[in-house]
Amino acid sequence: MQADDSPQAPAQPSGPAQPSGPAQPSGSAQPSGPAQPSGSAVILRVLRVSLHVGFAVLLLVAVLRLAVAGLSPFATGSGLGLALLLAAVYLVGTVLEKRHAGNPERFDPKSYARWWLAVVGFLWLLLMLISPDFAWIAFPLFFLQLHVLPRRFALPAIAASTALLIAAMWFHNRGAGADALQLAMVLGPVFGAAFAVVTGLAYRALYVEAENQRLAAEELRRTRAELSRSQHDAGVLAERERLAREIHDTLAQGFSSIVLMGRSVEKALDAGDNAAARDRLRTVRETAASNLAEARNFVRGLGSPELAESTLADTLRRLCTKTEAEAAARGATLRCRFELQGTPVALPNPYQTTLLRAAQSSLANVWAHSRASTAVVTLSFLDAEVTMDVFDDGAGFDPAAAAAAEIRGDGTGVGLKSLRERLAALNGTLDVESAPGEGTVVAIRLPLGTGNPTLEASP
């Protein structure tokens, strides 16, 4: 029942593509995805099918009554032929509309819709002249007129069809002469036409609602698809950042240590100190094995394997010992010690991993860049937080300049940035106190109280 001049209804073909009754949803009204049809769409489909079935049943009943009416052979044969022609024209229009609705690339019958309706109406008038039983086909035709024609043409067309229907009924019953019969011949078509118009208007509103629901559902599916893509991209980016942090804080530091220890081994061999060379090769082997274990674990998103074998305090203590050995292999004198303050409490794995990575990164910078003679790692358990301070008495640097510096082309310069990102994810803080020639203190704070979602979610 889509009228061409309806400002609310979405654009839709109105050709034979529209014989399907009031407001045939075209191909554009079909959802683009596998979503289930809405309640309005189901109602539209049922009404559309009911219109086709009603037209076919009324035409078949009229044909059967014509066959047994006892009319002349010419009238009977003409009626049957016209009825078959009407059925064929109606069926062709319906099939063409259905094929186009299913595949918009197919032939679009929209431009022939009014001609198709005119042929159907003309054949109906000829059949009414032969038998009054064909008069009741007028009711599905009323819906077709409302659907195919603009409203300003559809209403006059229905009025004219009603008048022709009354005239045909009077023509076939003109000998009866009863006033009641004449009144029934007028009231029946008039009420039928009025019912068709009211139903058609309601159907049009239902179609507009169904179309709006379809558009809203398509928009929702597009929004969901875009959200899914953005979430996927964000997940990919987050995973890349995680891998970059892990590589910098584990593999990169380990490989750097292996390179330096390898050079130290070469010097020991050149000096003929085989015992020192074997000791440093053992350190290289242990560092490589540790790197391999770290790589396997962070690819699986797990914690450090060192923490799985011992406590955080013991791991940090061994890290200090290893740092001293690596500095000695370079020919530097660095005393690194670990201090524990307070009573240790069980920490969630993200806390332990973050503190260990912070210590690894800070101590690597100490023996590689600061030329310090002393480094101290202090782990403190307080009532409301756990803290870790890494102090060295080395050359120091300007923290403001380091924070403003960009990542260098060789991939270095990401330590502080990576550490800040780790701590931000745990609601922690990082403070760096340093100045050229005055050493450095890296201070880390992680809250232990309620309100930290990471801590509360941990067993």
Side-chain angles (χ1 to χ4, degrees):
M1 183 178 37
Q2 168 73 28
D4 293 350
D5 60 346
S6 172
Q8 295 177 327
Q12 164 178 339
S14 58
Q18 315 297 326
S20 45
Q24 163 73 21
S26 70
S28 62
Q30 300 298 324
S32 58
Q36 296 297 323
S38 64
S40 299
V42 173
I43 294 175
L44 290 173
R45 186 179 303 169
V46 170
L47 292 177
R48 182 171 66 247
V49 173
S50 299
L51 174 68
H52 293 322
V53 172
F55 184 91
V57 170
L58 290 174
L59 181 60
L60 179 61
V61 170
V63 168
L64 293 176
R65 289 179 62 85
L66 174 66
V68 298
L71 300 179
S72 65
F74 176 77
T76 302
S78 299
L80 293 177
L82 290 173
L84 290 175
L85 182 58
L86 175 60
V89 172
Y90 188 92
L91 182 62
V92 167
T94 302
V95 170
L96 289 177
E97 185 277 334
K98 186 64 176 177
R99 288 165 61 89
H100 177 70
N103 183 4
E105 300 296 328
R106 293 181 180 272
F107 170 72
D108 184 2
K110 177 181 178 180
S111 57
Y112 300 95
R114 297 182 185 180
W115 288 105
W116 170 84
L117 181 62
V119 172
V120 170
F122 179 70
L123 293 175
W124 168 67
L125 290 176
L126 293 179
L127 287 170
M128 279 203 308
L129 292 176
I130 296 174
S131 171
D133 295 316
F134 291 97
W136 306 112
I137 299 178
F139 296 106
L141 290 182
F142 290 156
F143 289 99
L144 293 179
Q145 290 169 339
L146 280 169
H147 179 50
V148 174
L149 300 176
R151 189 184 305 176
R152 62 182 182 276
F153 297 142
L155 296 180
I158 291 174
S161 299
T162 303
L164 291 173
L165 176 59
I166 294 173
M169 295 180 66
W170 176 84
F171 174 76
H172 287 288
N173 295 278
R174 59 187 180 278
D179 293 340
L181 182 61
Q182 303 302 323
L183 182 61
M185 283 189 289
V186 174
L187 293 180
V190 169
F191 277 105
F195 176 79
V197 170
V198 172
T199 305
L201 294 178
Y203 199 78
R204 173 179 298 166
L206 184 63
Y207 171 76
V208 173
E209 178 186 355
E211 183 68 4
N212 290 337
Q213 290 179 354
R214 181 190 68 83
L215 295 176
E218 288 184 351
E219 179 64 23
L220 178 60
R221 285 194 292 272
R222 284 194 297 268
T223 302
R224 287 178 175 174
E226 293 173 359
L227 179 60
S228 177
R229 285 193 298 270
S230 64
Q231 289 177 338
H232 175 268
D233 294 342
V236 170
L237 181 59
E239 182 64 10
R240 287 177 178 174
E241 292 178 350
R242 182 185 77 86
L243 292 177
R245 289 194 299 267
E246 296 292 347
I247 290 173
H248 173 271
D249 294 342
T250 56
L251 300 186
Q253 304 291 357
F255 288 142
S256 177
S257 175
I258 290 173
V259 170
L260 293 176
M261 295 298 287
R263 293 173 183 171
S264 178
V265 170
E266 291 179 350
K267 293 179 181 179
L269 290 175
D270 291 342
D273 189 352
N274 293 334
R278 281 193 298 271
D279 183 66
R280 290 165 188 175
L281 282 175
R282 184 173 60 254
T283 302
V284 169
R285 184 175 64 252
E286 292 173 353
T287 303
S290 176
N291 264 20
L292 179 60
E294 290 283 5
R296 288 171 176 170
N297 277 272
F298 74 64
V299 165
R300 295 194 299 267
L302 303 177
S304 173
E306 298 177 355
L307 293 171
E309 300 172 356
S310 63
T311 64
L312 176 61
D314 291 338
T315 302
L316 293 177
R317 188 174 289 109
R318 287 198 305 271
L319 177 62
C320 289
T321 302
K322 178 182 176 183
T323 301
E324 280 190 358
E326 290 174 342
R330 288 196 329 127
T333 301
L334 173 63
R335 175 170 174 74
C336 183
R337 71 177 187 274
F338 171 74
E339 295 182 356
L340 176 63
Q341 297 180 357
T343 302
V345 297
L347 295 176
N349 185 66
Y351 273 45
Q352 297 188 66
T353 301
T354 297
L355 292 172
L356 175 59
R357 298 292 183 248
Q360 289 172 330
S361 180
S362 300
L363 290 179
N365 288 331
V366 169
W367 65 261
H369 305 297
S370 72
R371 300 185 300 277
S373 60
T374 302
V376 181
V377 177
T378 304
L379 180 65
S380 303
F381 289 89
L382 307 178
D383 292 337
E385 62 184 5
V386 58
T387 70
M388 187 178 72
D389 299 329
V390 181
F391 161 78
D392 72 82
D393 61 356
F397 64 97
D398 183 358
E406 296 182 354
I407 298 175
R408 293 183 284 277
D410 60 357
T412 61
V414 301
L416 289 177
K417 178 178 181 295
S418 171
L419 184 53
R420 291 186 191 278
E421 291 174 351
R422 285 181 180 274
L423 292 168
L426 301 176
N427 296 328
T429 60
L430 170 67
D431 294 318
V432 179
E433 299 178 6
S434 183
E438 298 184 6
T440 303
V441 177
V442 177
I444 296 170
R445 302 289 184 270
L446 287 171
L448 292 178
T450 59
N452 191 311
T454 303
L455 190 60
E456 292 177 349
S458 303

